[in-house]
Every structure is written in structure tokens, then in C-alpha cells.
Amino acid sequence: GRCVVVDCSRHMTAILEINATEGWVRVEPGVIKDSLNAALAQDGLFFAPELSTSSRATIGGMVSTDACGQGSCLYGKTSDHVISLDAVLLGGEVMTTGVEDPTTLAVRPGRAGAALRLLAQIARERGDLIAERFPKMNRSLTGYDLAHIARGGGINAGAVICGSEGTLALIAEARLRVLPIPKIAMLVNVFYDDFDAALRDAPFLGGRGASSVETVDSGVLALAREDPIWREVAAVFPDAGASGVNIVEFT
């Protein structure tokens, strides 16, 4: 479609404030995740969603796709760590997201007020249908996350801006919850004769306190064994006949 593409990673890259005592940080959307965690590390903190692209993923991009990745069993997705967003709406009005009292929205001015009233109407008139029809998934990969607009006892526009891929607003700033860095991490490899068995077992392992579960099939294992770096990790994959592996992390 017709659109404007905005690359925030060149100029909007400031880490504006770190509050280690209360466990939050304010950043501009072009901050790279690894850069943010490097700055947080001196206070023993980190921004939890673990992405394979963390050396180049921006915070604005993570919010826009509601990114998760490794560690989502324990830490969830990006929206679970978003406290508030400063979002620029069509026409230039800036909205700061948060839980809004539905009874006060009638007098909320501007485009932000209109947007919040529409969200309140959707939650009021379509809430039962949304609860019935929306798939019970941890992360919405298509459409807007209407199932969570009324979470927290009020209306929160941040629920639909997270994951909206830039179609609703331009993110100018984000306030994020950060967590203490785990003191100890351990990997456990569980081998299976059947890949389907590995898949079926993954939710069980994830529900037992694991921070991540990565399920690997025989095709990926075969390709990995052909790579020169395999020599460095072969000792932790001793079962050469396995058709599936669950790589489980505990912290």
C-alpha cells in the first residue's frame, strides 16, 4: 500500500533514562536491543525478550512486531514489558498510552480521545465475541490484539499499538520494564527417537519453569553436523541417532 517508511535507527537512538531502583528504562525507538542491554548491564539489569536478531533489532521494531523469541516461556513477549508508549497519531497529535478509565473518555479531546472511545466501544460491544473467537495464543501474529485492550481494568491503546507494525501510530518513545540478569543459566538437551514426540513434550518442559525450549528436528541436526563449527558442540549432542532434540534452558 501507499505509505511512508521511517527508519529510526539513525537519529532516534537515545537511551533517555534508566531507573534501576524501580526497574524501568525510557528509550527512543531506534535503540538497538544489544546496545540497550549493554547499558543496563552495569546495573545488573536486562530487557528480557531474547531475539536472534538482537544485534540489529530496534526497540521500535520489537514493539511494532510484539517480538518474543528465546525466553518467551518465562518472559513472554515485548508487550508484556511495555509500560507506556509515546505515539504520534495521524495529524501530529502525541498520545501517551496507559490504562485509561472508560468513564472519563467522553471528555478526552482530539484524535487520541476518538481512538480510545472506539477501543472502549469494541471492548464493550464485541468483548464476548472476541473472547469466543480469538485464538488463545501467546502472541498475535496477524491483526490487532483486541483481546487485551481492556486488560488492567481500563482501556489501553498500547495493547493494539504493540504488534500493529506501524499502521496505527509512529512510536516516538517507549518506557519499558527491565529485570535483574539471572545469576545462573543451564542448558539441558533431551533427545528423542521421534520428532513428533519432541514437539509434544515441548509444552510440558516449558511449563516446568524453563526459560526457553528450542525444538530441533533431524533435518536441522543433519545440516548442523556438516558445518565446521559442529566440532565445538558435538560433545553436547552425543545421540547421533536422535530424530529430535529439545534444548531446554533453566535460569
Side-chain angles (χ1 to χ4, degrees):
R2 296 175 61 191
C3 62
V4 175
V5 176
V6 182
D7 180 1
C8 300
S9 64
R10 184 171 182 183
H11 298 295
M12 300 181 74
T13 58
I15 299 172
L16 301 168
E17 184 178 0
I18 296 174
N19 189 318
T21 303
E22 297 181 9
W24 55 263
V25 62
R26 281 196 310 120
V27 299
E28 290 182 332
V31 173
I32 302 296
K33 182 185 181 297
D34 277 359
S35 300
L36 174 59
N37 276 347
L40 290 168
Q42 60 188 352
D43 292 307
L45 300 169
F46 79 122
F47 181 52
E50 295 290 348
L51 311 183
S52 59
T53 57
S54 62
S55 64
R56 51 206 180 275
T58 65
I59 298 301
M62 292 181 66
V63 172
S64 294
T65 59
D66 204 5
C68 51
Q70 182 180 345
S72 61
C73 295
L74 186 62
Y75 300 119
K77 53 194 185 298
T78 298
S79 59
D80 295 321
H81 303 273
V82 171
I83 299 171
S84 65
L85 301 170
D86 284 0
V88 184
L89 307 178
L90 189 66
E93 183 179 340
V94 178
M95 166 195 275
T96 299
T97 67
V99 178
E100 305 272 354
D101 185 347
T103 62
T104 66
L105 297 182
V107 296
R108 180 73 179 263
R111 190 177 292 273
L116 288 165
R117 285 189 290 274
L118 176 60
L119 291 176
Q121 180 183 351
I122 292 170
R124 184 175 61 253
E125 297 178 0
R126 303 288 183 177
D128 290 344
L129 187 62
I130 290 168
E132 175 191 340
R133 297 289 182 86
F134 265 52
K136 302 299 185 286
M137 300 175 67
N138 291 333
R139 179 185 176 210
S140 296
L141 292 172
T142 57
Y144 301 116
D145 191 4
L146 300 176
H148 292 109
I149 53 178
R151 184 168 58 181
I155 300 300
N156 191 348
V160 288
I161 293 176
C162 290
S164 64
E165 300 191 357
T167 58
L168 298 178
L170 186 147
I171 299 164
E173 186 181 307
R175 190 153 77 101
L176 309 169
R177 186 175 294 104
V178 292
L179 300 172
I181 296 171
K183 293 181 172 59
I184 299 171
M186 177 179 289
L187 284 178
V188 179
N189 288 345
V190 186
F191 298 91
Y192 300 83
D193 295 332
D194 175 63
F195 177 57
D196 286 343
L199 285 175
R200 285 193 300 269
D201 212 18
F204 172 82
L205 295 166
R208 295 303 183 275
S211 58
S212 72
V213 181
E214 290 286 336
T215 306
V216 183
D217 66 20
S218 58
V220 172
L221 285 169
L223 289 170
R225 289 187 179 101
E226 296 174 3
D227 194 285
I229 203 173
W230 181 257
R231 293 191 299 271
E232 299 177 25
V233 297
V236 295
F237 292 94
D239 191 341
S243 292
V245 181
N246 277 321
I247 304 174
V248 190
E249 182 187 58
F250 293 93
T251 56

